[in-house]
Amino acid sequence: PVDFSGTWILETNNNFEDYMKILNIDLVTRKVAVHLSQTKVIIQDENKLTIKTLSTFRNYEISLTIGEEFDECTKGLDNRKLKTLVSWEGDTLVCTQKGEKANRGWKHWLEGDKLHMELYCEDVVCHQVFIRK
Ligand code: RET
């Protein structure tokens, strides 16, 4: 499969504000977070995955096994409890986050030397593009 491992720097972040709003993230956090430079550190080893979202303000980290549902708590984001499952759809990593909010999840894929990420919840889609550090 595709290897997403590496350190990635956020290049574009489309609709992140609306994504945070739909998650009911408070105004003060949103105002700070929308301008943050974000770095993703991805460690992919067989079917194990660690994804760190790093910023000067706050970090968020998940570790998971692809294909196995796990309990996710989005601590420091919207602080919800989710049943999360990440799996392959072709060369795309697809995540579904079951919980209070409908249609919640994300997708990761590569295009050329860039990492694309779509974060979605209800009818809102945020599209982020990262370049390799
Ligand atoms: C930051 C800064 C503090 C406020 C918010 C943040 C949002 C992080 C998000 C991370 C999503 C990570 C995923 C990783 C999976 O690959 C940047 C930590 C709201 C939404 C889905």
Side-chain angles (χ1 to χ4, degrees):
V2 183
D3 190 0
F4 292 96
S5 295
T7 300
W8 301 88
I9 310 287
L10 185 64
E11 185 185 51
T12 61
N13 194 2
N14 186 253
N15 229 16
F16 189 49
E17 168 76 4
D18 285 341
Y19 175 76
M20 289 189 287
K21 261 191 202 162
I22 203 91
L23 292 179
N24 316 106
I25 290 174
D26 67 274
L27 180 79
V28 174
T29 302
R30 290 204 316 268
K31 290 301 157 205
V32 177
V34 78
H35 297 295
L36 281 177
S37 132
Q38 296 182 28
T39 300
K40 287 249 183 242
V41 177
I42 304 180
I43 302 159
Q44 188 183 329
D45 180 20
E46 310 255 305
N47 57 347
K48 301 265 196 268
L49 202 59
T50 296
I51 302 174
K52 300 178 191 183
T53 304
L54 307 176
S55 75
T56 52
F57 175 56
R58 214 174 272 164
N59 301 324
Y60 184 70
E61 177 172 337
I62 50 171
S63 287
L64 59 99
T65 303
I66 296 168
E68 284 180 18
E69 191 178 72
F70 67 100
D71 294 308
E72 180 177 11
C73 176
T74 55
K75 195 170 179 293
L77 309 185
D78 60 316
N79 302 300
R80 285 191 173 89
K81 291 204 165 109
L82 308 167
K83 294 281 181 195
T84 301
L85 175 67
V86 176
S87 44
W88 289 107
E89 280 181 19
D91 288 340
T92 302
L93 264 184
V94 180
C95 171
T96 53
Q97 297 170 309
K98 276 187 285 173
E100 188 188 330
K101 295 280 182 182
N103 189 40
R104 180 170 181 175
W106 50 258
K107 286 182 186 180
H108 276 320
W109 70 95
L110 296 179
E111 262 180 53
D113 49 7
K114 295 189 177 181
L115 169 70
H116 287 246
M117 174 156 189
E118 231 174 50
L119 295 144
Y120 42 89
C121 180
E122 295 182 353
D123 60 349
V124 172
V125 182
C126 165
H127 187 186
Q128 304 183 326
V129 180
F130 296 80
I131 51 172
R132 269 195 199 276
K133 189 178 175 181

